[in-house]
Amino acid sequence: MTVDLAPALSREAALRRLVGAFEAAGLPDARSDARFLTLHILALTPLDLSLRGREPLGAAGAEALGRAAARRLAGEPVARILGAWEFWGLPFALSPDTLVPRPDTESVVEAALGLFPERERKLRLIDLGTGSGCILVALLHERPRAYGIGLDRAQGALAVARNNAAANGVADRASFLCGSWLDALSGPFDLIVSNPPYIAAPVIATLEPEVRLHDPRAALDGGDDGLDAYRAILAGLARRPGLLSAQGALVLEIGYDQGPALTDLAQAMGFADVRVGRDLAGNDRVVTLRPSLAGR
Ligand code: GLN
């Protein structure tokens, strides 16, 4: 499917044409996807679009917007087409190795900040499976005296995360390591945070194509029951509770239906203080665990 855009077409008319094509294709967010692509591909602010919407696309604009629209119609998410997305109000570049940051994941940042509300507090953080680095960079941005490590198995993701730390002004307090979960780390950390892969493998085939075909499988696939990464992280921490400082906490993103399973798993591994928090939609989304209260 393509959208026919002539260079003489106005920007507003092009936007209308994208909306029409996206609606006809049944895209659920046709209007906002069309607007987002038009603004970003043509490098316009919303004000530019309303004040100078009658100006023509021009040859380069028509070509680039037409190509972007065709990609969206072929099922690619807007964030992948732009190669960038916003998280916590900050810009993040993406690559095929990184998940598109979700608004849900801001709940992890909020929960972590809530545990250490003092802005000037010196903290040591680690983000397991950092991907684009969005959780780590958001935390470093909010806690200017914190220092953090972003860990990932994918070298490609680490390169993206490193660039995102630089683009958001926190590179001097961030370092990046290739590794798997808690193996080979030395603490203590005040915060261990993670949005690990947590989709049960058999469920992946049922996800929307935007996720299934475009997010990296390694960032989604949590094994047969979706809990493999949590098992590895919790087992690592149970073996080496000293990875967390005395006030330290582990903050994990979970799937909306995983609160009870995570609570059971953590308690079975001897963690007494396990709390489940919700996202803005009211779904279970975050587990906070403090081994220090389990009588270390
Ligand atoms: N929240 C993502 C989704 O719904 C999954 C991310 C993950 O597995 N950590 O697709």
Side-chain angles (χ1 to χ4, degrees), residues 44-162:
L44 301 172
T45 65
L47 191 64
D48 291 334
L49 186 61
S50 51
L51 293 181
R52 301 209 305 278
R54 303 249 164 93
E55 291 180 18
L57 290 175
E63 155 81 27
L65 192 56
R67 216 170 329 113
R71 287 173 67 179
R72 183 68 197 99
L73 288 167
E76 221 176 312
V78 172
R80 293 283 167 207
I81 297 167
L82 300 177
W85 206 233
E86 195 177 278
F87 178 82
W88 201 259
L90 303 170
F92 288 88
L94 305 175
S95 86
D97 288 311
T98 67
L99 203 67
V100 174
R102 318 285 210 259
D104 295 339
T105 303
E106 296 188 346
S107 308
V108 174
V109 176
E110 263 160 29
L113 294 174
L115 295 169
F116 294 98
E118 189 196 331
R119 186 174 164 84
E120 298 303 322
R121 174 97 176 234
K122 279 190 184 165
L123 294 171
R124 282 195 71 190
L125 324 171
I126 183 158
D127 179 12
L128 309 175
T130 197
S132 64
C134 63
I135 300 176
L136 177 73
V137 169
L139 290 173
L140 292 176
H141 183 262
E142 297 300 322
R143 293 291 176 269
R145 303 183 70 190
Y147 172 88
I149 298 173
L151 182 98
D152 210 286
R153 281 179 303 191
Q155 289 286 0
L158 292 170
V160 173
R162 200 174 281 120

Side-chain angles (χ1 to χ4, degrees), residues 167-186:
N168 287 294
V170 300
D172 55 338
R173 295 182 288 117
S175 49
F176 294 92
L177 272 181
C178 193
S180 181
W181 310 130
L182 294 170
D183 302 344
L185 290 178
S186 59

Side-chain angles (χ1 to χ4, degrees), residues 163-245:
N163 285 338
N164 284 330
N168 287 294
V170 300
D172 55 338
R173 295 182 288 117
S175 49
F176 294 92
L177 272 181
C178 193
S180 181
W181 310 130
L182 294 170
D183 302 344
L185 290 178
S186 59
F189 296 100
D190 300 300
L191 279 169
I192 301 177
V193 296
S194 183
N195 173 19
Y198 58 66
I199 310 289
V203 171
I204 294 179
T206 70
L207 299 177
E208 287 168 13
E210 276 81 354
V211 177
R212 178 164 48 82
L213 302 176
H214 297 283
D215 276 317
R217 185 162 179 120
L220 299 174
D221 190 344
D224 282 348
D225 64 355
L227 301 175
D228 281 1
Y230 302 117
R231 278 191 202 92
I233 294 170
L234 293 174
L237 190 57
R239 263 196 313 274
R240 295 164 60 212
L243 281 174
L244 281 175
S245 67

